[in-house]
Amino acid sequence: MNAFASQSRIFGTIALGLLTCGTNSLSAENWRKHTIVENAPGRINSAVAADFDGDGHMDVMSVFGHQAVAFKGPDFTPHVVFKLRSGLSRNHPRAACIHSCVMDADGDGDMDFIGSNLTVFWLETPDDPFSGEEWVYRTVDDEILGTHCLITGDVNQDGKIDLIANSFRGDAATSFPNSITWLETPENPHTAKNWIRHVFADRDAPGGNHYMGLGDVNGDGRPDISCGAKGGKGFPGGEWFAWWEHPEDPNTVWKKHLLSDKQPGASNIIPADLNNDGTTDFLASRGHGKGILWFKGPKFNEIEIDPQFEGPHSLVAQDLDGDGHIDAASCGRAEDGKLAWYRNDGHGNFSKETIDENQSSYDLRAIDMDGDGDSDLLNAGHESKNIVWYENLMK
């Protein structure tokens, strides 16, 4: 057994064995709660799911406690697959990733892990992900800084998936302050030192830009990108929601369209047709403030859904009940936060149903965790220091 596998086994026995909880509970009529991690050694900001080993079961992955941990489904057995340490890039890593996603970074047919921990990096999924061998770490970009969001999409429409990442730190910290980028995979991602960076919002996203959304807003067939910036103390120029129009040449600077600049704590904004009228709307939340809302296209009139929701730092736009309409879900970021979903009647009228209480969140995903064809909810617990998923029972 190699040194990494031996150390990982020790960590898994001593620590993760105490964290993993196999009990399930019914949290609401339409949802059943499953706990993957409980009482982690620190905050868990982000968690993703993919079938990393190709066995037909969804696995979960997160970086916390200076470890990248993959939980093998269906029992979600923990495996430490990488240990964060100095010397991997120009930045010394923190204990946890602030955000993450999955994409096939090297085009070999399996999903790799993309993380943001001061450096944006990727971990290559090996042929046998749970063998005990350390996954290979590679840098995506270590010059952008303050990357609170990683999403994927074919930005330049060349048939290959790209990575979208923000850089919300100021001039003193990075050469790309208050900006948003899309990153193109290099010709050989295994040997490239960095991915190909395109700054489409060049110093045009001040005030703590947070989470992005991708979609064709103006109907020209090209994917546009939306974002929110929280503002507040230390983040001047924020408190806005906006979207950037994809030009004919995506390598140039994009045109910014401001939706509103009176949004204290603005964080998440996702393009979607919420009232089935054929035009794009925006679902949004003020994750560092209060409230969930939507902007009705094509004029993007602001409509409050739940103005009193505290700290909705995570946001989902997905058909959760299978009726063909885009619903919403969110969870508060504080330890005593509430997790709720909002049933859409198809006309942009939302009714709230609480799923769970005393549950924190920085990252909420809609994904089919159990392979039954519907969308479940995977939550990274942040202040509650857990990873849980909620089984969708609406069939």
Side-chain angles (χ1 to χ4, degrees):
M1 181 184 297
N2 62 42
F4 175 80
S6 177
Q7 293 172 1
S8 299
R9 179 170 291 184
I10 291 171
F11 179 86
T13 301
I14 295 175
L16 288 178
L18 299 177
L19 299 174
T20 304
C21 178
T23 59
N24 302 333
S25 63
L26 193 65
S27 53
E29 180 182 357
N30 294 317
W31 304 88
R32 180 179 295 120
K33 183 177 183 179
H34 302 258
T35 302
I36 297 174
V37 173
E38 193 172 45
N39 300 322
R43 289 175 172 174
I44 300 180
N45 302 317
S46 185
V48 297
D51 182 6
F52 291 111
D53 57 356
D55 67 352
H57 298 292
M58 199 64 73
D59 312 303
V60 170
M61 192 162 176
S62 182
V63 176
F64 59 95
H66 300 281
Q67 318 269 358
V69 186
F71 299 87
K72 177 176 170 55
D75 299 324
F76 301 112
T77 306
H79 297 259
V80 177
V81 299
F82 191 82
K83 298 191 176 190
L84 297 177
R85 50 191 179 267
S86 298
L88 297 168
S89 78
R90 72 179 66 199
N91 305 310
H92 179 73
R94 293 177 175 174
C97 281
I98 194 68
H99 206 237
S100 57
C101 67
V102 293
M103 68 178 286
D104 185 1
D106 52 5
D108 65 354
D110 59 27
M111 286 294 180
D112 305 297
F113 177 86
I114 314 289
S116 172
N117 189 320
L118 296 181
T119 293
V120 179
F121 66 93
W122 69 286
L123 297 176
E124 182 184 357
T125 303
D127 292 336
D128 187 354
F130 303 108
S131 67
E133 296 295 321
E134 186 176 41
W135 294 22
V136 177
Y137 174 106
R138 295 185 178 88
T139 296
V140 172
D141 195 317
D142 61 359
E143 294 185 70
I144 61 176
L145 207 60
T147 299
H148 271 53
C149 182
L150 296 167
I151 60 173
T152 62
D154 185 0
V155 175
N156 60 349
Q157 300 178 297
D158 65 351
K160 299 178 182 178
I161 298 298
D162 307 299
L163 183 67
I164 302 158
N166 56 340
S167 182
F168 90 162
R169 294 290 183 89
D171 296 87
T174 174
S175 300
F176 305 94
N178 302 314
S179 299
I180 311 176
T181 72
W182 68 275
L183 300 155
E184 193 175 356
T185 53
E187 185 174 347
N188 192 336
H190 291 134
T191 58
K193 292 183 178 180
N194 292 284
W195 288 17
I196 304 165
R197 182 193 312 115
H198 305 272
V199 184
F200 72 86
D202 189 4
R203 301 172 185 258
D204 197 21
N209 59 70
H210 251 55
Y211 295 95
M212 284 90 70
L214 180 71
D216 182 4
V217 176
N218 57 2
D220 64 0
R222 298 190 292 265
D224 307 301
I225 296 174
S226 53
C227 187
K230 65 178 184 177
K233 185 178 180 180
F235 296 94
E239 301 188 0
W240 50 259
F241 290 113
W243 66 280
W244 280 260
E245 182 179 349
H246 189 301
E248 290 188 11
D249 181 0
N251 300 322
T252 61
V253 174
W254 299 18
K255 181 180 179 181
K256 181 180 180 180
H257 298 265
L258 184 67
L259 294 167
S260 175
D261 60 357
K262 297 176 177 60
Q263 304 290 335
S267 56
N268 307 59
I269 181 165
I270 304 168
D273 184 0
L274 299 175
N275 59 349
N276 295 311
D277 66 352
T279 61
T280 300
D281 313 298
F282 288 102
L283 179 69
S285 67
R286 308 179 191 98
H288 282 270
K290 185 185 293 186
I292 298 171
L293 66 156
W294 69 291
F295 294 93
K296 182 180 179 181
K299 294 184 178 181
F300 302 117
N301 300 316
E302 179 182 335
I303 302 172
E304 295 286 342
I305 295 174
D306 188 351
Q308 299 305 314
F309 197 109
E310 290 282 353
H313 198 274
S314 56
L315 186 66
V316 162
Q318 185 88 359
D319 179 8
L320 297 174
D321 56 2
D323 65 356
H325 311 312
I326 300 296
D327 306 303
S330 185
C331 185
R333 65 189 178 92
E335 191 172 3
D336 61 351
K338 288 182 171 59
L339 173 64
W341 77 287
Y342 297 79
R343 189 192 300 267
N344 185 358
D345 68 356
H347 302 287
N349 302 307
F350 294 87
S351 56
K352 180 179 180 180
E353 295 184 14
T354 299
I355 299 174
D356 203 1
E357 298 183 349
N358 298 315
Q359 174 62 54
S360 174
S361 175
Y362 239 49
D363 187 18
L364 184 67
R365 315 271 174 142
I367 189 166
D368 186 0
M369 292 290 294
D370 50 8
D372 65 355
D374 57 21
S375 293
D376 308 299
L377 294 173
L378 173 66
N379 187 67
H382 191 57
E383 294 287 354
S384 50
K385 300 177 182 179
N386 62 357
I387 300 175
V388 295
W389 71 278
Y390 297 85
E391 181 184 355
N392 190 336
L393 304 177
M394 293 180 286
K395 269 203 166 184

